[in-house]
């Protein structure tokens, strides 16, 4: 084969134009020994996190977090750049629980109705709606891909007992595990061990992170944080593993314990800001970001170029979707 031309694509794949001698018997109108001219595109090389879940709040599947909010008045979802940009889905008292439930690499619009324990999911793959009753009103929704099949599982954390209930999408089986249960524990699931499965994890405010690793069923603990800190886990270093991290509103400090090694401290935001970490620039690294509700203002510190980008989107009563409900319910 002779490569006449090759070019690199923005996503890291390679397009090759080549001439080669045909050696097979298919298709029948091409004879052995004929020269064949063709073009092929090779995929993106595998690397850390290549099989990771979609970016948080990535509703359009472009690999980047979208500025997005849920407006309880009217039960309306707003996603910047989406078509349509606004969708009525849910009731004012519903809890937004967006995640990729159908495995199409796009986050689905979804709500949980605490009064009945019912989850309503609007699947992006076919625009159909599904409903499942799961849990009781006091449970905390913690959807994530716990079984590693590329789909978010419906899941709950029951604070009164420290029990996690996961409805696995692979086989519709229900798995219950006790992990946590001390008053004040905050569930912070994430893929801390980098095996493409969400791990059960707890942040005990002001003291310790507890992680139950899915890769080996071992439990780890790390003291990280102080009273008043808000947990903001994410993959800030892009190695495919969730990093332990906190936002300290009193001084606007982000402190990140990188799983790849070392700690990072960045001052970004003020006390009234809400942390909305996500991969806004699509480089497979979580960006530090805040939402300032009174002005509907988003500030993103992009990891790709260290630039700060401000965007106005939403109003003061909106719920910023990149911030998980399990964290929002405690601090905002």
């Amino acid at each position: 084969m002779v490569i006449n031309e090759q070019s690199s694509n923005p996503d890291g794949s390679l397009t090759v134009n080549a001439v080669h001698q045909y050696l097979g018997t298919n298709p029948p109108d091409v004879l052995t020994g004929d020269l064949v001219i063709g073009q092929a595109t090779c995929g993106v090389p595998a690397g850390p996190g290549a099989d990771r879940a979609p970016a948080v709040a990535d509703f359009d599947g472009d690999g980047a977090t979208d500025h997005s909010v849920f407006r309880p008045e009217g039960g309306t979802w707003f996603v910047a750049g989406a078509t349509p940009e606004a969708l009525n889905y849910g009731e004012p008292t519903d809890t937004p629980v967006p995640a990729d439930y159908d495995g199409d690499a796009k986050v689905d619009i979804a709500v949980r109705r605490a009064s009945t324990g019912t989850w309503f999911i609007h699947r992006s793959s076919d625009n159909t709606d599904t409903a499942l009753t799961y849990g009781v009103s006091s449970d905390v929704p913690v959807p994530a891909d716990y079984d590693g099949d590329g789909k978010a599982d419906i899941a709950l954390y029951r604070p009164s007992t420290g029990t996690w209930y996961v409805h696995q999408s692979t086989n519709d089986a229900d798995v219950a595990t006790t992990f946590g249960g001390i008053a004040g524990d905050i569930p912070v699931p994430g893929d801390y061990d980098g095996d493409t499965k969400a791990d059960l994890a707890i942040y005990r405010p002001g003291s310790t992170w507890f992680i139950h690793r899915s890769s080996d069923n071992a439990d780890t603990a790390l003291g990280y944080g102080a009273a008043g800190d808000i947990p903001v886990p994410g993959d800030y270093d892009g190695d495919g593993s969730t990093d332990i991290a906190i936002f300290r509103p009193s001084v606007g400090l982000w402190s990140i314990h990188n799983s790849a090694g070392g700690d990072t401290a960045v001052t970004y935001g003020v006390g009234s800001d809400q942390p909305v970490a996500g991969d806004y620039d699509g480089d497979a690294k979580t960006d530090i970001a805040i939402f300032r509700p009174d002005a509907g203002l988003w500030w993103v510190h992009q990891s790709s170029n260290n630039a700060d980008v401000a965007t106005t989107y939403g109003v003061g009563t909106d719920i910023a979707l990149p911030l998980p409900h399990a964290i929002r319910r405690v601090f905002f």
Side-chain angles (χ1 to χ4, degrees):
M1 179 176 68
V2 178
I3 296 177
N4 293 335
E5 181 183 15
Q6 66 181 37
S7 59
S8 297
N9 301 315
D11 64 354
S13 63
L14 187 68
T15 297
V16 177
N17 293 299
V19 177
H20 64 92
Q21 191 175 46
Y22 184 72
L23 300 177
T25 58
N26 254 327
D29 56 340
V30 179
L31 301 178
T32 300
D34 283 353
L35 294 181
V36 179
I37 300 175
Q39 183 185 80
T41 299
C42 305
V44 180
D51 298 322
R52 74 185 70 202
V56 59
D58 178 13
F59 293 91
D60 55 11
D62 66 350
T65 296
D66 300 312
H67 295 84
S68 50
V69 298
F70 175 70
R71 189 163 297 166
E73 301 85 358
T76 308
W77 295 65
F78 294 90
V79 179
T83 304
E85 185 173 0
L87 178 68
N88 292 325
Y89 199 80
E91 298 180 353
T93 56
D94 288 346
T95 299
V97 285
D100 181 17
Y101 296 93
D102 55 6
D104 67 346
K106 296 179 182 180
V107 169
D108 303 311
I109 287 174
V111 298
R112 178 177 181 264
R113 192 158 297 161
S115 59
T116 60
T118 305
W119 297 62
F120 298 92
I121 300 169
H122 183 69
R123 303 194 315 184
S124 56
S125 57
D126 56 11
N127 288 319
T128 61
D129 300 311
T130 62
L132 177 70
T133 299
Y134 197 74
V136 299
S137 60
S138 59
D139 291 341
V140 180
V142 284
D145 183 11
Y146 296 91
D147 54 11
D149 67 346
K151 300 178 182 180
D153 304 309
I154 288 174
L156 298 160
Y157 172 72
R158 189 161 294 168
S160 60
T161 61
T163 306
W164 297 66
Y165 296 93
V166 178
H167 183 71
Q168 295 182 334
S169 55
T170 49
N171 54 11
D172 288 329
D174 297 311
V175 178
T177 306
T178 300
F179 193 75
I182 301 299
D185 282 353
I186 300 172
V188 285
D191 185 12
Y192 295 89
D193 55 7
D195 68 346
T196 72
K197 296 181 181 180
D199 305 310
L200 309 184
I202 289 290
Y203 173 64
R204 192 157 291 162
S207 61
T208 310
W209 294 66
F210 298 91
I211 300 168
H212 181 70
R213 298 188 315 213
S214 57
S215 57
D216 56 9
N217 288 320
D219 298 324
T220 61
L222 177 69
Y224 204 79
D229 289 349
I230 300 173
V232 286
D235 185 9
Y236 295 88
D237 54 14
D239 68 346
S241 299
T242 300
D243 305 312
I244 287 173
I246 58 93
F247 172 64
R248 189 163 295 162
S250 59
V251 292
L253 176 68
W254 294 68
S255 185
I256 302 165
H257 184 67
N258 296 301
S259 56
D263 294 294
T264 302
V266 178
T267 300
Y268 205 78
V270 298
S272 59
D273 292 340
Q274 298 180 11
V276 286
D279 183 10
Y280 294 86
D281 54 7
D283 67 346
K285 295 181 181 179
T286 299
D287 303 311
I288 290 172
I290 59 94
F291 173 61
R292 194 163 292 166
D294 56 354
L297 183 64
W298 302 63
W299 281 96
V300 177
H301 183 68
Q302 294 183 336
S303 57
S304 57
N305 56 9
N306 289 320
D308 297 312
V309 179
T311 304
T312 301
Y313 199 77
V315 298
T317 56
D318 288 346
I319 294 173
L321 295 173
L323 179 63
H325 172 73
I327 298 171
R328 183 191 311 112
R329 64 184 284 272
V330 177
F331 297 96
F332 302 103

